[in-house]
Amino acid sequence: MMEETEELSGRKRDEADSFRLHMVTWNVATADPPDDVTLLLHLNAPKSPDLYVIGLQEVYSGPVRFMSDRVFDDSWSKLLMDTLAPRSYVKVSSIRLQGLLLLCFCKLQHLPFIRDVQARYTRTGIYGYWGNKGGVSVRLSFYGHMLCFLNCHLAAHMDYASERVDEFQCILDTQAFDCPKAPRISDHRLVFWFGDLNFRIQDHGMHFVRSCIAEQSYHLLWSQDQLTMMKKKDRVLQEFEEGPLDFPPTYKFDLNSDIYDSSGKKRKPAWTDRILWRLRPNEEEEEEEEEEYPLRVRQELYTSNMEYSCSDHKPVIGVFTLELRKMCAGPLVRLQPDGDWSADMDAMVLYSPLQPITASPWDWIGLYKVGFTSVSDYITYTWVKDDEVASSEEVVQVYVSKEEIPVRGGECVLCYYSDALQCVVGVSEAFKVQGSKVASEEGLMPGNIDALDRTVSREDLLD
């Protein structure tokens, strides 16, 4: 019997899929983004991530810039989207609380399997009214597994270690999601907690700390790291794991240098910027599901990146492998263009529900250029119900007017957006849209055709 159990367990492990998660936390100290984030995102690595999760702190939030960022993407978001979109990454969600910014990206192929996406924020700065400190989170279901990413910027200064723990607990207690199975952060199967947590190195003097750093004897400093010390006292902190701090403390540097603070204050270096995770232990009522659909986490890399010097903090990178068995192996909807598409003729979309799904009058199908940045970045859309032409038990045909098709054509994909689930539940294969022959004959292609690329307002759908 034991052999059969071990064989079954081995089979389940063999069925698990591996996904690569690349995480970044960086206090950017109000600096503008660098020109190149190749090293930050490991864009030349032999294996590309399936997910990127990037948490920034102290993004510049002066009144004028902050108001413009509410209308247009801030410079950091724009750089990251423009960098990742050509590599077929789509922004799944983002949330900002003044200087706190959290962005989540996935490969296009995973988009139909990321559902129940919600974002929240909690202010803890200045008695909870000002957002200079606090936490922002994004929770989602990834192939049926509930994940939560929490980016925090906690209270500063050496003597506030207990206050930092209190702020973290406050964020855990106050953030709530519209999700019956995981209404709180701690209810999620896997939680990543990261950011400028501001824990310092106690007791050791400046000379000793800097000598340990120069000799790369980081282990001599671990015992006086405040987060390590607080974990011995606090049960909630004990649930979180962290890789070894085998990299130089990431705070505080002179700007545009690798030199620790040489100002009159001479602040002591510290590992203020951290990435931790917590895989929920089995509970009796969920043990069967977690045994049937295992989820394992393995950290592949935990390091700082010394190449970037525009801030007084260095960015920290964590790379993880998530091994899981998919709870949902196929998309909810299959869709494709009906025949060839051209800007000179009306077109049709064919879609087929692959699993029970109730089509809402507010469901829509978007047409996107290959390399689009986010769900709101469509060229045009068609309403699933209002524009339905014909249907059978298996296939529904939806009309798209030629007036809505981009005049110069290009490589495109179709995405089915479910209003009930508030996410994309189906993505087509890429296909070619032929440009307008009429526009070409009139000499409008390709030089001055940009003005004729028809787009529509997105805010009314996705706000």
Side-chain angles (χ1 to χ4, degrees), residues 77-233:
S77 296
K78 186 176 187 309
L79 172 66
L80 292 165
M81 289 192 292
D82 289 348
T83 301
L84 292 172
R87 293 168 169 82
S88 296
Y89 289 94
V90 179
K91 187 183 78 172
V92 174
S93 183
S94 66
I95 183 169
R96 182 172 177 183
L97 171 65
Q98 287 186 210
L100 269 171
L101 177 63
L102 175 58
L103 302 113
C104 301
F105 298 86
C106 75
K107 281 185 175 178
L108 178 60
Q109 69 200 63
H110 302 308
L111 189 59
F113 305 98
I114 295 182
R115 303 170 190 167
D116 304 320
V117 182
Q118 297 178 42
R120 297 288 185 269
Y121 67 83
T122 300
R123 296 183 177 94
T124 59
I126 309 180
Y127 306 107
Y129 291 103
W130 190 243
N132 63 319
K133 296 291 191 295
V136 291
S137 66
V138 170
R139 65 89 53 205
L140 52 86
S141 169
F142 183 66
Y143 288 96
H145 296 265
M146 293 181 293
L147 314 182
C148 187
F149 301 95
L150 173 60
N151 172 26
C152 290
H153 191 186
L154 303 181
H157 305 304
M158 179 69 74
D159 297 332
Y160 284 80
S162 296
E163 284 77 3
R164 289 188 267 278
V165 176
D166 291 343
E167 288 181 351
F168 175 54
Q169 188 64 60
C170 172
I171 293 167
L172 293 182
D173 291 342
T174 56
Q175 289 199 4
F177 303 98
D178 299 323
C179 177
K181 290 189 70 174
R184 304 283 182 183
I185 292 174
S186 57
D187 297 319
H188 288 75
R189 195 162 184 187
L190 177 60
V191 177
F192 286 93
W193 173 39
F194 54 104
D196 181 359
L197 308 186
N198 252 321
F199 290 100
R200 308 304 172 95
I201 297 174
Q202 262 184 212
D203 297 336
H204 291 316
M206 176 72 79
H207 178 73
F208 180 76
V209 170
R210 293 202 176 191
S211 295
C212 290
I213 295 171
E215 296 168 7
Q216 298 185 12
S217 300
Y218 308 122
H219 64 283
L220 298 178
L221 303 175
W222 294 348
S223 64
Q224 295 301 311
D225 168 68
Q226 287 181 336
L227 179 53
T228 303
M229 297 167 72
M230 296 303 290
K231 283 185 73 172
K232 296 177 181 178
K233 305 176 184 178

Side-chain angles (χ1 to χ4, degrees), residues 30-50:
T30 73
D32 288 328
D35 295 330
D36 190 345
V37 288
T38 298
L39 295 173
L40 189 70
L41 303 179
H42 290 188
L43 297 179
N44 295 326
K47 186 175 182 181
S48 60
D50 297 279

